[in-house]
């Protein structure tokens, strides 16, 4: 049930955040966050529309029908209202409980979530972009993952999917230069950063590629943070160069939020997954 007044306060709340960002000086003067704030307002309005969310829940149920790794609730249409979203009950425990599960079961569940992200991006053209851990439950008896909260579901445009395909292919090639070019094309690295910090960027990419490709036989160990300090050191000049900061396309930011959140969950639960094999499947 939606808290009264939430939908009506969205615009004012986002505008207040924008004011605080401007007054705090946290962001460079030339960084235009207006498109991101406008999109945040739009998405929050959509998340407050429970009729829309019920429709997205049905879509995910249909897309994942027959996939025994997932369970998706069904909306109860007779009781559905714009601010009330009743659904069938799905038993489960917090996804974090996987931390105490045997490694094989833990990796199977997290591998399913990683594969789901790839299917959302490359197959479905539709992604639930909120990776809050509370949106997942785990059923120890069946091993299934319960998916909850479809308010942040959004369509993925072919252009965004194509950018990620290029980035995926570059990563699989193991060529740091190709990855850097794909990052620039996708909007993750600004032309100014590419011009001023190309050596540091390629060095960071090289570290990540080396760790990724070394994992082909044993699987990628998300708990291995050995390269983090080296990445942080090489990133320092880019972070200090505030004039070169910029925002990727808004849709890409929402997609990346889901990808980053899924990676964080894998790190939190110490997953070891055949990432190269998952990425290398035909899509």
């Amino acid at each position: 049930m939606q808290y009264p007044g939430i939908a009506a306060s969205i615009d004012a709340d986002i505008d207040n955040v924008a004011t605080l960002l401007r007054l705090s000086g946290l962001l460079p003067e030339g960084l235009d966050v207006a498109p991101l704030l406008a999109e945040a307002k739009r998405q929050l309005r959509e998340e407050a529309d429970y009729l829309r969310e019920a429709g997205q829940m049905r879509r995910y149920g249909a897309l994942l029908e027959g996939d025994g790794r997932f369970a998706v609730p069904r909306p109860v249409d007779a009781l559905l209202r714009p601010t009330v979203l009743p659904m069938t009950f799905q038993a489960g425990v917090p996804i974090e409980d996987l931390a105490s599960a045997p490694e094989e079961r833990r990796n199977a569940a997290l591998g399913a979530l990683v594969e789901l992200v790839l299917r959302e991006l490359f197959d479905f053209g539709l992604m639930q972009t909120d990776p809050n851990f509370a949106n997942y439950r785990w059923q120890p008896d069946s091993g299934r993952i319960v998916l909850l909260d479809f308010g942040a579901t959004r369509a993925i445009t072919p252009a965004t999917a194509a950018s990620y395909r290029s980035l995926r292919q570059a990563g699989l090639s193991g060529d740091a230069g190709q990855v850097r070019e794909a990052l620039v094309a996708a909007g993750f690295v600004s032309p100014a950063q590419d011009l001023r910090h190309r050596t540091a960027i390629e060095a960071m990419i090289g570290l990540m590629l080396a760790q990724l490709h070394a994992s082909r036989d044993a699987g990628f160990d998300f708990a291995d943070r050995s390269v983090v300090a080296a990445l942080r050191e090489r990133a320092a000049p880019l972070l200090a160069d505030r004039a070169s900061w910029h925002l990727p396309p808004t849709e890409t930011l929402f997609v990346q939020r889901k990808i980053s959140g899924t990676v964080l969950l894998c790190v939190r639960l110490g997953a070891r997954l055949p990432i190269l094999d998952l990425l290398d499947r035909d899509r």
Side-chain angles (χ1 to χ4, degrees):
M1 297 182 66
Q2 192 173 116
Y3 192 85
I6 287 291
S9 69
I10 288 171
D11 284 8
D13 289 346
I14 295 294
D15 288 340
N16 288 338
V17 169
T19 299
L20 287 172
L21 286 173
R22 284 195 296 270
L23 293 176
S24 68
L26 291 173
L27 300 177
E29 264 185 49
L31 191 66
D32 182 14
V33 297
L36 177 59
L37 296 176
E39 186 61 22
K41 289 180 181 180
R42 187 183 74 82
Q43 178 152 321
L44 287 172
R45 291 190 204 103
E46 289 182 347
E47 291 189 41
D49 180 354
Y50 286 176
L51 299 181
R52 177 186 179 278
E53 181 171 349
Q56 300 297 347
M57 189 186 301
R58 292 188 197 96
R59 290 183 71 182
Y60 263 83
L63 287 166
L64 294 172
E65 187 174 6
D67 190 331
R69 299 172 299 174
F70 299 103
V72 181
R74 298 185 308 276
V76 180
D77 292 336
L79 302 174
L80 182 61
R81 302 290 184 274
T83 58
V84 180
L85 178 53
M87 66 192 79
T88 55
F89 176 73
Q90 294 284 355
V93 299
I95 193 73
E96 294 93 330
D97 284 13
L98 272 167
S100 59
E103 183 180 11
E104 184 178 352
R105 298 197 80 195
R106 187 169 69 248
N107 288 340
L110 292 166
L113 283 176
V114 169
E115 188 171 348
L116 176 59
V117 172
L118 295 172
R119 292 176 70 191
E120 288 177 308
L121 184 54
F122 298 125
D123 300 336
F124 297 169
L126 186 75
M127 179 175 281
Q128 192 284 86
T129 60
D130 182 1
N132 189 319
F133 294 176
N135 292 341
Y136 308 112
R137 306 282 285 178
W138 179 55
Q139 297 179 336
D141 292 341
S142 66
R144 294 192 304 175
I145 296 171
V146 180
L147 302 178
L148 301 171
D149 193 348
F150 296 89
T153 301
R154 56 189 296 129
I156 304 299
T157 64
T160 297
S163 291
Y164 276 96
R165 279 196 182 91
S166 297
L167 185 56
R168 174 179 67 95
Q169 199 56 43
L172 290 170
S173 76
D175 187 307
Q178 284 188 39
V179 174
R180 177 187 53 75
E181 291 173 4
L183 288 170
V184 174
F188 286 109
V189 174
S190 71
Q193 288 171 326
D194 185 39
L195 179 65
R196 302 175 193 173
H197 306 286
R198 179 173 296 186
T199 300
I201 291 169
E202 290 198 355
M204 287 189 289
I205 294 169
L207 286 171
M208 292 184 285
L209 287 176
Q211 188 175 35
L212 178 64
H213 284 269
S215 72
R216 183 173 290 279
D217 294 331
F220 186 83
D221 184 0
F222 283 86
D224 181 3
R225 314 298 287 164
S226 58
V227 301
V228 171
L231 289 172
R232 205 176 278 130
E233 180 182 349
R234 285 164 175 78
L238 280 80
L239 296 175
D241 187 5
R242 289 164 56 90
S244 70
W245 288 11
H246 86 140
L247 292 175
T250 303
E251 182 179 311
T252 301
L253 284 174
F254 283 97
V255 171
Q256 198 58 35
R257 178 175 70 150
K258 175 64 173 287
I259 293 172
S260 298
T262 304
V263 169
L264 181 60
L265 183 58
C266 289
V267 170
R268 172 87 171 265
L269 298 180
R272 183 186 289 271
L273 303 175
I275 290 296
L276 286 172
D277 290 341
L278 291 171
L279 290 171
D280 206 14
R281 291 178 186 171
D282 290 338
R283 284 190 165 85

